[in-house]
Amino acid sequence: MATLQEILSPSVVNRVISRIKVPQSRLQHFFGMHLGGKNNNAIGRRTFSWDIFDKTRSVAQMKSPGSGPATVSPQTVGRVTGTFPRVHEEVRLDLEKLNNIRALGRPAGEIDQGGLNYITRQEEFLAQRFANFREFMVSRMLKGSFDVLQDGDNFYPVDPGAGLFSVDYRMPSGNKNQLNMTSGGNIIDARWDNAGTSIFTHLLKINQAMEQLTGRPLRHIWTDSNVWQYVLTNTQIHDVGGTANTTFSTYETVEERGPDGLPTNEFVGVLRAIPWLKWHIYDAGLDIATTGGSTSYKRFFDSANGEVSFLPDPGADWVEMVIGSEQVIDSYGSPAVERFGFYAWTFTNIKPASIELIAVDNAIPALYIPKALAFGNVIF
């Protein structure tokens, strides 16, 4: 039997909290690939492709006066094809339960009429999962690939080597690990956690290699705070920047807030030694699926390997989010409508009375020029 204290104890709830802030979406925002971003290209349908017709650095031939022209072979043409990954989820809510709950964060006597407050929060939850999927794809594009793990009719994005098949962005092997980018030997020939390593020299060589490979200079580096610390304490970086000065000229948080109103967890730094290069220090991560239906938290940039992404200024000339489409019927009797990219709607059932929150997204980052990216391991 319940005690008097249990029966008459007040039910006072004054707020609702989340133990996890809204996950960061800084990578997709950097590229303009977020939902509604400026670097989304609505192509439509299920498949996509692009043709390749390269410009040339070759030099025209000379001929003697009175002679005919030299014969030059036509420039070769290539083609890349792909299929849009389809993300499709729903949250089903029983109206019997929704009609008998209080509003989240409020005392027991305040009924959440129709569960509207609860429904809104579930819609936000579903949208966050879709945004997280885009963030995952962009982060793994920087590394060159990701895998897809199948479990029945469901498919889960996972890290390379953990899935059934791979989504490969064709980043050259020389643009990975220690960066043998032009086949002249590894550019990163010593660990960055050694203060005597010539990091300044490495960065200049990477910039030279990127100019040779694509003509797009190095302008941004994404990594974590541990690698950034090694850079700040590097002897060569300190000497080139001036021993009487701080190693960096600027080091500040990104002046932007997430959907929950909290500051983003990205810092941007500029070294005195290399003022044309921006460092993005990003320690965020996501819960990634593993075998057995469980998940494991993975940071976007692994400290153990000193993962660093080198890239030019973002632009649709070398990378963008391509958007697919599909026919959607919002309710019984409604006509089918072609919806592009992310689209969310609600659907009501009568047996039993319930509401379904449904969303779909057809999109994938298209890396038109794989050689424009380099992903190095500076701790090896």
Side-chain angles (χ1 to χ4, degrees):
M1 178 180 294
T3 66
L4 178 65
Q5 181 65 33
E6 292 172 335
I7 295 173
L8 299 182
S9 62
S11 176
V12 180
V13 181
N14 58 11
R15 66 181 301 183
V16 57
I17 64 99
S18 171
R19 293 171 294 179
I20 302 175
K21 70 187 296 290
V22 173
Q24 301 293 304
S25 300
R26 290 304 308 157
L27 288 172
Q28 56 188 302
H29 276 79
F30 172 77
F31 286 103
M33 295 179 178
H34 55 289
L35 301 178
K38 64 180 180 180
N39 201 15
N40 290 327
N41 185 358
I43 295 174
R45 304 299 190 274
R46 179 60 51 206
T47 61
F48 60 92
S49 65
W50 61 85
D51 294 328
I52 301 173
F53 190 90
D54 286 334
K55 295 180 172 60
T56 182
R57 290 194 180 107
S58 61
V59 180
Q61 305 170 55
M62 296 187 296
K63 296 288 289 183
S64 300
S67 63
T71 301
V72 180
S73 299
Q75 178 66 297
T76 57
V77 176
R79 184 167 183 255
V80 176
T81 61
T83 302
F84 290 108
R86 180 174 183 261
V87 185
H88 193 29
E89 290 188 332
E90 70 171 8
V91 175
R92 179 171 296 184
L93 304 173
D94 191 336
L95 292 183
E96 172 64 23
K97 295 179 180 178
L98 293 179
N99 196 47
N100 295 281
I101 62 174
R102 63 169 173 82
L104 283 168
R106 303 303 302 163
E110 297 187 21
I111 300 299
D112 185 5
Q113 298 295 331
L116 292 181
N117 179 277
Y118 183 76
I119 291 173
T120 298
R121 292 182 180 275
Q122 294 295 344
E123 288 173 334
E124 293 172 351
F125 161 76
L126 195 59
Q128 286 170 15
R129 288 177 56 84
F130 279 70
N132 292 345
F133 180 75
R134 288 200 179 192
E135 189 76 355
F136 172 86
M137 289 194 296
V138 174
S139 69
R140 271 45 181 187
M141 176 194 72
L142 294 178
K143 300 184 180 185
S145 68
F146 66 88
D147 274 13
V148 176
L149 177 66
Q150 184 176 6
D151 183 10
D153 292 333
N154 298 323
F155 298 86
Y156 301 93
V158 294
D159 283 324
L164 176 66
F165 61 90
S166 177
V167 178
D168 192 345
Y169 282 93
R170 306 297 184 184
M171 185 187 297
S173 59
N175 284 36
K176 300 177 182 179
N177 302 318
Q178 276 66 68
L179 306 187
N180 184 13
M181 298 175 69
T182 58
S183 301
N186 291 339
I187 294 176
I188 302 175
D189 56 5
R191 294 165 57 114
W192 282 18
D193 56 353
N194 183 340
T197 296
S198 301
I199 294 179
F200 179 78
T201 303
H202 290 175
L203 296 174
L204 294 182
K205 288 184 176 180
I206 292 170
N207 183 59
Q208 291 173 344
M210 294 181 76
E211 169 63 31
Q212 177 178 334
L213 293 176
T214 72
R216 293 167 175 82
L218 174 65
R219 287 294 179 264
H220 299 272
I221 290 179
W222 283 80
T223 189
D224 77 330
S225 55
N226 289 323
V227 170
W228 175 243
Q229 180 180 346
Y230 299 142
V231 174
L232 293 182
T233 57
N234 181 262
T235 301
Q236 189 185 37
I237 292 293
H238 194 262
D239 290 345
V240 175
T243 56
N245 302 312
T246 58
T247 308
F248 57 87
S249 59
T250 61
Y251 180 28
E252 56 193 9
T253 59
V254 174
E255 292 298 326
E256 184 175 319
R257 293 182 178 269
D260 54 5
L262 297 176
T264 61
N265 190 28
E266 179 198 344
F267 297 83
V268 175
V270 176
L271 300 173
R272 293 186 185 277
I274 318 176
W276 45 264
L277 183 60
K278 283 188 176 181
W279 295 74
H280 303 263
I281 300 93
Y282 195 42
D283 288 325
L286 292 170
D287 293 330
I288 307 302
T290 59
T291 56
S294 59
T295 61
S296 176
Y297 179 76
K298 297 289 184 66
R299 291 173 55 190
F300 294 128
F301 299 98
D302 180 23
S303 295
N305 297 319
E307 294 181 338
V308 183
S309 183
F310 305 89
L311 59 152
D313 285 325
D317 61 311
W318 66 274
V319 63
E320 67 181 355
M321 183 72 74
V322 289
I323 306 296
S325 66
E326 64 177 80
Q327 297 290 323
V328 172
I329 298 177
D330 293 342
S331 61
Y332 290 121
S334 298
V337 180
E338 185 178 16
R339 303 296 186 182
F340 288 78
F342 177 77
Y343 179 69
W345 70 99
T346 60
F347 186 81
T348 55
N349 289 310
I350 61 174
K351 297 180 181 179
S354 61
I355 182 171
E356 296 177 16
L357 312 178
I358 310 172
V360 66
D361 191 16
N362 292 281
I364 190 171
L367 182 58
Y368 298 128
I369 305 177
K371 291 181 179 180
L373 287 178
F375 191 79
N377 298 119
V378 300
I379 311 296
F380 52 92

